[in-house]
Amino acid sequence: MIKRFLAFVFVWFIFSATQAQDCSITFKGKITDFHDNTPIIGASVHILDLNKYTSSNEDGLFEFKNLCAQKFVVEIKHISCDPKRININLEKNTYKEIFLEHHLNELNEVVVRTTSKTTITSVEQNLKKEVIENFTDKSLGDALNTMSGVSSLNTGNSIVKPMIHGLHSSRLLIVNNNVRMFDQEWGDEHAPNIDINASEKIAVIKGANTLKYGSDAVGGLILIQPKKYAVKDSLFGSTITSFNTNGFGGNINSEIVKTYKSGFYSKLQANYKQFGDFRAPDYYLTNSGLKNLNASLRMGYNTYEKGFNAYYSFVNNQFAILQSSHIGNVNDLVNAINNLQPRVTEDFSYDITFPKQEIYHHLGKIEAYKRIKDLGKLSVQYDVQLNRRKEFDLRRGNRSNTPVIDLRLFTNTLQTNLEVEYLDNLKIDTGVLIRYQQNDAISGTGTNPLIPDFTKYDAGLFTIANYYLNESTDFSAGFRYDFSKIDARKRYNVTDWNETFNYDELFPEFETGTINGTRILTNPKYTFHNLSASLGLSKRFNNDVSLLVNYGLASRVPNPSELFSDGLHHSAARIETGLLTLDKEIANKFIVSLERVNRNFGFSISPYYKHINGFIQLIPVGITTTIRGAFPVWEYNQINAQIFGIDIDVNKQITEKFNYLGSLSLLQGDNLTEDIALIHMPSTNFTNTISYQNKNLNQLTIAFNQKTVLQQNRFPDYNFNTFNAILQEDVFVDISTTPPTYTVFNLRSSAVFKMNKKSNLKIEFNVANVFNVAYRENLNRLRYFADELGRNFNLKLKYNY
């Protein structure tokens, strides 16, 4: 009797529990195009947690029946759309309207702007793979120089540093495969050690949405991103070769990718580039060649719930420095400025002689992620970098092959990141970071190290919230705190320490002892606390028009070069002197962007303003005499500054086959402390491009481009007089007056030929500086010594297999 009663109670309990679980709920909805509200037919709708599928009908409608009350994630996919995931808390019959960004792949491929942004309120421009391949034999700076608001600081034609709104080096964050680059980027003639051929997309973020990567992006962020591979069994690759008449060199890049339906993938890529002496319109640029060898390996496992990826890259760059730029004294500089041709013009050669640079850069990282139910995605990453920089001068005797600067920088970073995706309208991205750096000034150079030995410790944490108010309005807000500590070991001349800079009274705690009565050994130590923040708003109107507003507070600590530089920077041919009293920069950044993404007629208008307290600049202050001769002296100092301007981009489809692209960049930089112009600011420039495309004729594309750079008429006057021992009189040294306006034209053409079912051959023929114009660029550090490059014919072959 008792057993029957217990059995009855058990069955009743099970029945009651079953009745309590309501599994008769219906979830249905409609999928439409955000731009014109038309229904999207055949979209895949997948409830990931339940592994249930359906698709939208001719009215964009879908339906799931007999679901239980629970929480789950729905993924919506459709061709020509970015996939979208939403969280559903199903408690009763539910109807949901879902909007997809349709027609993204129908936009003009030449237009570098895109609606697929890194952050929802970012003011951003992108270079996709097709555009990157146009610069397979060029540098990162050359590729980015095609964007409005982005220019470059050059040393000759091979060493190219990107500039965003007039700022470069330590004020730009360059993130390669989610690793922030550290490669002695402080130097004007130190180009990023990155092979752009290994990337799938390059994003330039001009606004304030950079807190995830650092607090010191006063200029902006350059984000170099890899490709995400489909989860399927496949094997594919490509090889690109490039041949150039100017420099009689070229490039070969090859990559192969293997993916598996299990989620595993791997990619191997290698690149070799070599050029001999380049040529200006009227003469060869003696000792201007280069040789680069780059390779990368990427592998990982990718599923929705978990995965990992590992990445390693090696870059070996050798750059010749124009021989005529090697001056022995200021009188050589005067002669160079006054002469129309370089001091040394020899026949073509592939030799890379002195002066030159050799750089090795190793980068390795491993990252793993895991999705936590009802929370989000947690990822952990460790990365390490080793950068070795050698700069060689013209030296005699047994030191002829010994570098005058030999620096080794070791960086390793551990960071975690949590993306909270639980709420429908609110996404939170938060993380912490710790970093250790060690710089070694390698002994045996026979010179005093320009940058001393130092160690640097960093720790940071950030939180960014993105709130989706509705389908047309988004907000973002972020906060970041960083701690930095610098511990250096440096020798100073006693006279400089005690008298020139008065450091014996300002920093007595740094003194550790004297050496032979003329040199003093010091141990400078600094700690910094940085607070940064950002606010953003994105508002979309009339289907394809949007307004973005960004504010950012950025803080940047002085880098070791700005604090400790002390000596002759040989590849720059100048004495550089740091300043121990420098404090951190604090920048308030504002940018607004009105955009219309439309193939027929699109535009972007982006005014911006930056006010920077404690702006650190390097300026010429006179000359000094060393055993090598008389050299200009450049010193770091600190001022208040402002930079403001506007970037404008326009695209117009003239006919079915003809398109127009145009851009205009205006910028002004002011030294508010001294009421003069800022040094090294880009001048007004504009571009116009007419292109012809015929998809039915082997995807034929022909584009003619014009770029005009106006003379920079706002510059500070840092000219000076020096005594010429040969003439026995003072001579005037004009290092400030800028070159005149110039215009260059470029031609680009390509066609694609089908080889078989799975492969094709793309052939490009391009001409740079079509009319062989002789000109000089204000932002080229070697403009005193030679013209820019003359005409170049380029043939490029890409074989996809």
Side-chain angles (χ1 to χ4, degrees):
M1 188 70 178
I2 295 176
K3 290 183 178 179
R4 291 181 179 178
F5 177 75
L6 292 176
F8 172 79
V9 172
F10 178 74
V11 171
W12 179 84
F13 178 79
I14 295 298
F15 177 77
S16 299
T18 303
Q19 289 295 102
Q21 177 66 31
D22 184 4
C23 292
S24 61
I25 301 177
T26 298
F27 169 55
K28 59 183 179 180
K30 184 177 183 180
I31 303 174
T32 56
D33 182 357
F34 170 78
H35 296 294
D36 55 17
N37 288 318
T38 57
I40 295 180
I41 305 171
S44 167
V45 186
H46 179 199
I47 301 180
L48 299 174
D49 310 68
L50 306 179
N51 202 29
K52 291 180 177 292
Y53 289 88
T54 189
S55 58
S56 58
N57 62 20
E58 64 274 8
D59 297 317
L61 300 172
F62 68 90
E63 184 176 24
F64 291 96
K65 295 182 177 180
N66 301 323
L67 299 179
C68 301
Q70 59 182 305
K71 297 177 181 179
F72 52 77
V73 177
V74 179
E75 182 178 63
I76 304 94
K77 292 183 177 181
H78 189 265
I79 188 170
S80 300
C81 301
D82 282 343
K84 188 172 187 177
R85 287 180 177 177
I86 59 175
N87 297 295
I88 300 295
N89 184 6
L90 196 67
E91 297 177 344
K92 58 182 180 180
N93 291 338
T94 301
Y95 177 83
K96 185 82 173 177
E97 288 197 26
I98 301 171
F99 297 89
L100 291 183
E101 286 276 4
H102 203 226
H103 307 310
L104 290 182
N105 291 340
E106 298 177 13
L107 294 176
N108 189 338
E109 290 289 340
V110 180
V111 180
V112 298
R113 300 199 63 83
T114 175
T115 58
S116 178
K117 294 181 178 297
T118 304
T119 55
I120 58 175
T121 63
S122 61
V123 179
E124 178 179 323
Q125 287 179 287
N126 292 295
L127 294 180
K128 293 185 178 180
K129 187 67 172 179
E130 296 82 0
V131 181
I132 294 172
E133 288 176 351
N134 294 334
F135 298 88
T136 182
D137 49 9
K138 303 294 183 180
S139 69
L140 173 66
D142 291 318
L144 297 179
N145 209 3
T146 60
M147 295 180 172
S148 63
V150 183
S151 48
S152 61
L153 182 66
N154 289 31
T155 301
N157 58 281
S158 303
I159 303 175
V160 185
K161 291 181 70 74
M163 301 178 73
I164 300 176
H165 295 162
L167 301 175
H168 58 87
S169 301
S170 298
R171 296 184 181 92
L172 297 187
L173 304 189
I174 300 180
V175 176
N176 181 14
N177 212 317
N178 206 43
V179 178
R180 178 172 173 178
M181 296 294 294
F182 288 96
D183 50 5
Q184 305 284 4
E185 68 279 357
W186 46 266
D188 287 354
E189 75 291 355
H190 299 178
N193 293 292
I194 291 174
D195 177 16
I196 64 172
N197 294 284
S199 60
E200 178 69 18
K201 187 179 80 169
I202 302 175
V204 172
I205 300 176
K206 302 175 182 178
N209 299 84
T210 60
L211 294 183
K212 181 175 180 178
Y213 303 99
S215 63
D216 47 351
V218 179
L221 168 68
I222 298 171
L223 196 58
I224 301 167
Q225 300 169 299
K227 183 179 178 63
K228 292 183 179 180
Y229 298 111
V231 181
K232 63 180 182 179
D233 289 326
S234 65
L235 177 66
F236 58 94
S238 66
T239 297
I240 302 178
T241 56
S242 177
F243 308 93
N244 296 267
T245 58
N246 198 331
F248 293 106
N251 173 88
I252 180 168
N253 180 78
S254 191
E255 61 182 46
I256 187 166
V257 179
K258 174 62 178 172
T259 64
Y260 301 86
K261 63 181 180 181
S262 62
F264 285 98
Y265 64 89
S266 61
K267 174 185 176 182
L268 178 64
Q269 176 263 341
N271 174 274
Y272 179 76
K273 176 168 54 179
Q274 183 173 4
F275 285 87
D277 291 337
F278 292 92
R279 183 176 175 84
D282 301 315
Y283 45 78
Y284 281 108
L285 302 169
T286 301
N287 198 48
S288 61
L290 61 93
K291 187 184 297 184
N292 303 151
L293 175 63
N294 314 291
S296 67
L297 174 64
R298 181 176 169 228
M299 60 180 61
Y301 172 70
N302 181 30
T303 66
Y304 175 70
E305 291 187 354
K306 59 185 177 181
F308 76 90
N309 70 85
Y311 179 75
Y312 168 76
S313 69
F314 169 72
V315 175
N316 177 13
N317 291 330
Q318 296 185 52
F319 297 115
I321 306 295
L322 182 71
Q323 190 167 335
S324 295
S325 70
H326 181 87
I327 60 174
N329 51 58
V330 175
N331 293 324
D332 290 345
L333 178 61
V334 173
N335 292 332
I337 293 173
N338 293 333
N339 293 333
L340 296 179
Q341 290 198 352
R343 177 174 52 88
V344 179
T345 54
E346 298 178 354
D347 293 336
F348 173 84
S349 174
Y350 284 104
D351 294 338
I352 297 179
T353 60
F354 308 112
K356 65 177 182 178
Q357 296 181 3
E358 291 183 3
I359 304 101
Y360 301 87
H361 191 88
H362 299 265
L363 182 154
K365 82 149 191 178
I366 184 165
E367 178 185 17
Y369 68 88
K370 169 71 176 175
R371 291 190 184 273
I372 303 172
K373 190 174 183 180
D374 295 333
L375 181 60
K377 178 182 176 183
L378 176 66
S379 60
V380 180
Q381 176 178 304
Y382 173 73
D383 57 78
V384 60
Q385 298 176 70
L386 179 62
N387 183 266
R388 183 74 178 269
R389 164 173 286 274
K390 298 180 180 181
E391 298 184 6
F392 296 83
D393 203 352
L394 287 170
R395 309 178 81 177
R396 297 182 177 85
N398 57 6
R399 293 191 182 274
S400 58
N401 291 312
T402 302
V404 293
I405 291 179
D406 192 351
L407 300 174
R408 181 175 57 205
L409 180 65
F410 172 73
T411 306
N412 67 122
T413 305
L414 177 66
Q415 56 186 338
T416 63
N417 195 66
L418 176 62
E419 299 175 24
V420 180
E421 304 170 334
Y422 177 67
L423 301 174
D424 284 344
N425 295 331
L426 178 64
K427 307 299 179 186
I428 298 174
D429 194 357
T430 185
V432 297
L433 169 148
I434 56 174
R435 177 180 293 123
Y436 169 77
Q437 279 188 313
Q438 178 180 322
N439 182 77
D440 294 319
I442 306 300
S443 61
T445 62
T447 62
N448 294 322
L450 179 66
I451 305 296
D453 296 341
F454 69 84
T455 54
K456 188 170 184 282
Y457 307 87
D458 295 303
L461 59 91
F462 74 91
T463 298
I464 302 171
N466 294 313
Y467 179 67
Y468 303 83
L469 180 63
N470 52 50
E471 289 293 338
S472 64
T473 307
D474 305 313
F475 292 98
S476 70
F479 171 83
R480 185 179 178 106
Y481 165 77
D482 285 277
F483 168 81
S484 297
K485 180 180 179 180
I486 301 174
D487 188 341
R489 295 155 298 282
K490 178 173 172 54
R491 294 176 175 86
Y492 279 90
N493 182 286
V494 171
T495 302
D496 289 338
W497 183 265
N498 293 338
E499 299 177 12
T500 305
F501 300 106
N502 202 30
Y503 288 155
D504 59 330
E505 296 184 8
L506 294 173
F507 304 107
E509 68 276 16
F510 292 170
E511 299 178 8
T512 61
T514 57
I515 305 173
N516 297 329
T518 60
R519 306 283 288 175
I520 185 168
L521 183 63
T522 68
N523 182 203
K525 294 182 180 180
Y526 294 87
T527 58
F528 297 94
H529 301 272
N530 280 359
L531 296 178
S532 302
S534 67
L535 291 172
L537 167 68
S538 172
K539 179 68 177 178
R540 293 174 288 280
F541 309 94
N542 301 329
N543 298 329
D544 54 9
V545 177
S546 60
L547 175 69
L548 299 104
V549 181
N550 256 217
Y551 163 75
L553 171 67
S555 301
R556 185 183 76 89
V557 304
N559 62 47
S561 168
E562 295 163 337
L563 290 168
F564 308 126
S565 287
D566 183 22
L568 180 60
H569 197 170
H570 292 262
S571 64
R574 65 193 185 197
I575 305 290
E576 295 182 3
T577 304
L579 192 62
L580 295 184
T581 57
L582 295 177
D583 201 354
K584 61 186 177 184
E585 292 180 347
I586 299 178
N588 288 278
K589 310 188 297 180
F590 301 86
I591 186 168
V592 177
S593 184
L594 180 64
E595 304 176 353
R596 185 186 189 212
V597 180
N598 185 290
R599 181 177 180 179
N600 291 325
F601 175 64
F603 60 82
S604 172
I605 304 173
S606 302
Y608 58 89
Y609 175 80
K610 300 180 183 184
H611 185 280
I612 309 172
N613 287 323
F615 182 81
I616 301 171
Q617 61 174 358
L618 180 63
I619 60 172
V621 295
I623 62 169
T624 190
T625 302
T626 71
I627 58 173
R628 295 286 312 279
F631 288 91
V633 178
W634 290 61
E635 290 184 356
Y636 288 98
N637 69 5
Q638 203 156 23
I639 59 168
N640 293 331
Q642 67 177 10
I643 299 175
F644 58 92
I646 187 170
D647 301 328
I648 300 175
D649 294 275
V650 178
N651 66 278
K652 171 65 179 175
Q653 183 174 11
I654 303 172
T655 67
E656 182 180 353
K657 293 184 173 61
F658 284 91
N659 292 277
Y660 166 80
L661 291 174
S663 68
L664 170 67
S665 294
L666 302 169
L667 178 148
Q668 179 173 316
D670 297 315
N671 177 339
L672 299 177
T673 301
E674 301 172 346
D675 194 24
I676 57 176
L678 277 180
I679 193 172
H680 295 156
M681 289 290 105
S683 53
T684 298
N685 61 87
F686 58 90
T687 65
N688 294 285
T689 303
I690 296 290
S691 62
Y692 169 83
Q693 295 176 311
N694 191 333
K695 294 182 179 180
N696 298 324
L697 186 60
N698 297 104
Q699 299 181 40
L700 175 66
T701 299
I702 302 174
F704 196 61
N705 165 267
Q706 162 264 323
K707 180 174 183 178
T708 297
V709 178
L710 303 183
Q711 183 172 5
Q712 176 59 274
N713 293 318
R714 299 188 75 257
F715 54 86
D717 184 0
Y718 290 123
N719 299 323
F720 58 90
N721 292 293
T722 185
F723 182 73
N724 188 317
I726 297 176
L727 300 177
Q728 290 295 303
E729 61 182 25
D730 286 338
V731 294
F732 177 69
V733 184
D734 184 356
I735 62 173
S736 299
T737 303
T738 57
T741 297
Y742 68 85
T743 298
V744 293
F745 292 87
N746 306 289
L747 174 68
R748 186 176 298 277
S749 62
S750 66
V752 178
F753 300 89
K754 193 75 174 179
M755 306 301 291
N756 53 52
K757 292 183 178 180
K758 295 184 178 181
S759 63
N760 60 60
L761 177 66
K762 182 179 181 180
I763 301 177
E764 288 188 26
F765 177 72
N766 310 307
V767 185
N769 195 356
V770 173
F771 300 110
N772 205 29
V773 176
Y775 67 97
R776 300 195 180 192
E777 166 57 48
N778 177 46
L779 293 177
N780 193 328
R781 294 178 56 258
L782 303 188
R783 66 179 175 88
Y784 306 112
F785 310 103
D787 292 336
E788 299 289 331
L789 298 190
R791 184 188 298 114
N792 177 54
F793 295 98
N794 167 257
L795 176 65
K796 195 176 283 110
L797 307 175
K798 180 185 180 183
Y799 182 58
N800 292 303
Y801 43 84

